[in-house]
Amino acid sequence: MSNDEIFAAAYREHYWAVSRYVARRLQGRADEVEEVVAEVFTVAWRRRADLPGTPLPWLYGVARNCLANAVRGHGRRLRLMDRLGNDEAAHGRHIAAGPDAEAPGAWVHEALDRLAPADQEVLRLAAWEELGAEEIAVALGCGKRAATMRLHRARRRLRAEIDRLGTVPTTPPADRAGPQPGPARATLCKDHGHG
């Protein structure tokens, strides 16, 4: 198969997965999703000779870089709008959510938002994209062992943020899976060599 055919197959097979990956990270900015996805596949086309046999994790890595550029550009536009006095709040278009507007599972997103961007990304690759450690390593551009360790640490930090928020699902603590927060949990982690 030629490089052009390999690219075409990767595009057909993974276009929607890459689109979902980008859309999840640009929530509320749907207009930018298509631009970023187009950029991902433009880069993939230029580097079609480099496409690996399993291209999706590699495409996620390219998407991460394209997203970083888009986020920087979005930040520059917001700062420019602020300087020009053209932000939504200045024109009375800011809408406050009602008291019962919280989406189910919002506490998880709040805890996730408190983590460092690198922790957020490794958790999203595992949960949203359903990648294993080896595929996460490809997407992040690191070794499998480093990816496994990053995922373990990110999960631990997420659990700590959830505990810190004190907002957990309404299931009774005895029914919740996993160790309970507090000093006993820290001891448990140290006993298993994870602390």
Side-chain angles (χ1 to χ4, degrees), residues 1 3 31 39 43 49 63 66 94 97 111 123 125 129 189:
M1 206 184 305
N3 288 338
D31 54 321
E39 180 63 24
V43 170
C66 293
H94 180 74
L123 290 167
L125 286 168
E129 312 320 328
C189 290

Side-chain angles (χ1 to χ4, degrees), residues 27-49:
Q27 291 176 340
R29 293 169 32 205
D31 54 321
E32 293 180 64
V33 172
E34 285 185 37
E35 289 179 37
V36 173
V37 172
E39 180 63 24
V40 170
F41 284 102
T42 300
V43 170
W45 170 255
R46 278 183 289 192
R47 297 189 52 203
R48 62 192 178 278

Side-chain angles (χ1 to χ4, degrees), residues 39-128:
E39 180 63 24
V40 170
F41 284 102
T42 300
V43 170
W45 170 255
R46 278 183 289 192
R47 297 189 52 203
R48 62 192 178 278
D50 299 334
L51 277 172
T54 306
L56 187 57
W58 184 85
L59 289 168
Y60 287 156
V62 172
R64 279 181 68 233
N65 294 333
C66 293
L67 279 164
N69 291 337
V71 167
R72 282 192 294 274
H74 183 71
R76 284 191 296 271
R77 284 190 298 277
L78 288 179
R79 286 189 297 278
L80 177 61
M81 285 173 49
D82 284 346
R83 275 187 264 142
L84 296 174
N86 192 25
D87 64 318
E88 291 179 357
H91 294 284
R93 288 182 287 178
H94 180 74
I95 298 170
D100 55 352
E102 185 174 309
W107 56 274
V108 174
H109 292 285
E110 184 178 346
L112 185 65
D113 288 344
R114 292 172 175 240
L115 297 178
D119 286 343
Q120 291 178 29
E121 183 60 12
V122 73
L123 290 167
R124 287 174 177 148
L125 286 168
W128 290 355

Side-chain angles (χ1 to χ4, degrees), residues 100-164:
D100 55 352
E102 185 174 309
W107 56 274
V108 174
H109 292 285
E110 184 178 346
L112 185 65
D113 288 344
R114 292 172 175 240
L115 297 178
D119 286 343
Q120 291 178 29
E121 183 60 12
V122 73
L123 290 167
R124 287 174 177 148
L125 286 168
W128 290 355
E129 312 320 328
E130 299 179 356
L131 297 184
E134 200 165 303
E135 295 166 317
I136 290 172
V138 172
L140 296 179
C142 65
K144 180 182 176 186
R145 209 170 153 183
T148 301
M149 192 55 116
R150 286 182 191 181
L151 181 58
H152 170 74
R153 289 179 179 157
R155 283 178 173 153
R156 192 172 65 204
R157 289 181 187 119
L158 179 62
R159 179 76 244 171
E161 281 304 323
I162 290 170
D163 292 346
R164 206 170 285 124

